[in-house]
Amino acid sequence: MIKNAPFRFSDFESITFSYGPPDRMFTTFDSKTTNYQYVNKSDSVVKTTLKLRQDDLLYLHRKAVEYGFWNFPDDMTVPGNTDSTANVMRFLLKFTYKEKSKQMIFDTNYPGDPKLRDAAKTMITEVQGILKDAEDRK
């Protein structure tokens, strides 16, 4: 029996990914526009383009299904994490499809269910890995 995800890859449009300290999430990527912005080692903001292959997007879609991304809460942040002094990273991951979308905002110090926290961290690591692979292909 094939299990249908609530979001089909045939309806896929884009992935948006951002992260950084809660008050300044400088690293951003949008697969629809291919805009990619990050802070380099000398603390300069670099704006460039980064194109993901169809296989990369399908891989991320399947990983989202595998980790249950559709069931993650939209907000996994900690109240009070509003500036960079807390040494916390905030991640925003959004999958956009033709008729609906799913997003997650996640703080690295989220105190919720450990299995959910680990699944969210793993999903973020998968996205970062695909972005790094795409950078290396440039």
Side-chain angles (χ1 to χ4, degrees):
M1 181 166 85
I2 297 174
K3 181 180 176 187
N4 290 329
F7 299 82
R8 295 185 318 255
F9 187 70
S10 59
D11 295 335
F12 177 83
E13 291 186 348
S14 68
I15 290 176
T16 306
F17 183 62
S18 314
Y19 69 92
D23 63 341
R24 51 195 166 110
M25 294 172 49
F26 286 130
T27 302
T28 61
F29 171 73
D30 185 337
S31 68
K32 189 172 194 167
T33 63
T34 70
N35 290 335
Y36 182 47
Q37 173 182 297
Y38 62 95
V39 177
N40 65 13
K41 293 179 182 177
S42 48
D43 286 335
S44 300
V45 175
V46 177
K47 294 181 181 184
T48 187
T49 59
L50 187 64
K51 183 158 176 51
L52 296 183
R53 298 180 305 198
Q54 192 72 6
D55 289 347
D56 296 333
L57 298 170
L58 178 59
Y59 176 82
L60 291 175
H61 170 80
R62 288 182 176 165
K63 285 299 178 180
V65 172
E66 180 182 337
Y67 297 127
F69 179 74
W70 322 119
N71 299 319
F72 289 4
D74 291 345
D75 187 359
M76 292 191 286
T77 59
V78 177
N81 283 350
T82 56
D83 61 33
S84 58
T85 60
N87 199 23
V88 171
M89 295 294 279
R90 177 166 289 169
F91 295 86
L92 174 120
L93 177 59
K94 182 177 183 180
F95 282 72
T96 303
Y97 295 80
K98 286 180 183 170
E99 295 183 14
K100 50 189 165 182
S101 64
K102 170 65 178 163
Q103 85 170 17
M104 162 192 81
I105 302 173
F106 175 75
D107 285 348
T108 53
N109 66 341
Y110 177 68
D113 178 20
K115 288 182 181 180
L116 177 62
R117 185 176 58 238
D118 290 345
K121 285 181 181 178
T122 304
M123 189 68 217
I124 288 164
T125 301
E126 294 287 354
V127 174
Q128 289 175 318
I130 289 292
L131 293 178
K132 176 152 181 20
D133 290 347
E135 277 185 285
D136 292 344
R137 284 192 302 265
K138 277 180 112 177

